[in-house]
Amino acid sequence: MKDHLTVVKHPLVQHKLTLMREKGTSTAVFRQLLREISQLLAYEVTYELDMTTRQIDTPLQTMDAPVLAGRKLALISILRAGNGLLDGMLELIPSARVGFVGLYRDEATLKPVQYYFKVPDYLDDRMVIVVDPMLATGNSSAAAVDLLKEAGAKNIRFLCLLAAPEGVARMKEAHPDVPIVTAALDERLNEKGYILPGLGDAGDRMYGTK
Ligand code: URA
């Protein structure tokens, strides 16, 4: 991808995002919209998957037809909100390999600390798509990408629903080689690290925990 940041302006993406932002949207509808929007975003973020051809027989003749090349791509969910994006993407890309990264923030140092890390083999040979709905400060996203690079990943993309300028800048500084795909670039973070205007706590909204 030539741009570090791609905002997907497709009307369906923008309409669904507006419904998700509204505070009155129920958990069930929020989850359904997230599933739908994640498939539209998956289309964009996988645009540069390598292709090859395979000879097939149609009912009329033989042809060299395009198919995906190489190893299956890896989807890496940053727990827990990443799982909401992951579910929809797996419907579109059912053979993708899946990994999980769990990070919490140490309240003394304010740095992300890893509590779970399980990823597919051969990361160096796959397109790796990290999914997390909210790119806020960018600290956990940058830390997750650090861990994936240590595990061998080279061809990484970051997919989110909403990005704050602060998070985009942090990612650009830490990982300029990792393109970001998002449905919107919002205004800023508030003092608690929430994205404004945002949609609130993505995990709470998708799992109904608050
Ligand atoms: N995480 C969220 O769920 N929401 C925000 O606005 C920022 C981080």
Side-chain angles (χ1 to χ4, degrees), residues 81 132 134-137 162 189 193-196 198-204:
D132 189 355
M134 310 299 270
L135 177 57
T137 62
L162 291 186
L189 296 179
Y194 280 89
I195 298 176
L196 296 176
L199 52 73
D201 186 297
D204 283 346

Side-chain angles (χ1 to χ4, degrees), residues 39-57:
Q39 296 185 12
L40 296 165
L41 295 174
Y43 174 86
E44 186 72 31
V45 77
T46 53
Y47 211 80
E48 288 177 336
L49 275 170
D50 287 337
M51 300 293 293
T52 184
T53 56
R54 178 155 55 85
Q55 197 177 66
I56 61 163
D57 298 318

Side-chain angles (χ1 to χ4, degrees), residues 17 20-23 30 133-134 161-162 186 195-203 205:
L17 180 58
M20 293 180 76
R21 287 182 190 272
E22 280 185 304
K23 66 178 184 189
F30 187 91
M134 310 299 270
L161 204 51
L162 291 186
D186 271 13
I195 298 176
L196 296 176
L199 52 73
D201 186 297
R205 293 206 60 193

Side-chain angles (χ1 to χ4, degrees), residues 33 106 138 210:
L33 289 163
D106 184 307
K210 219 184 226 171

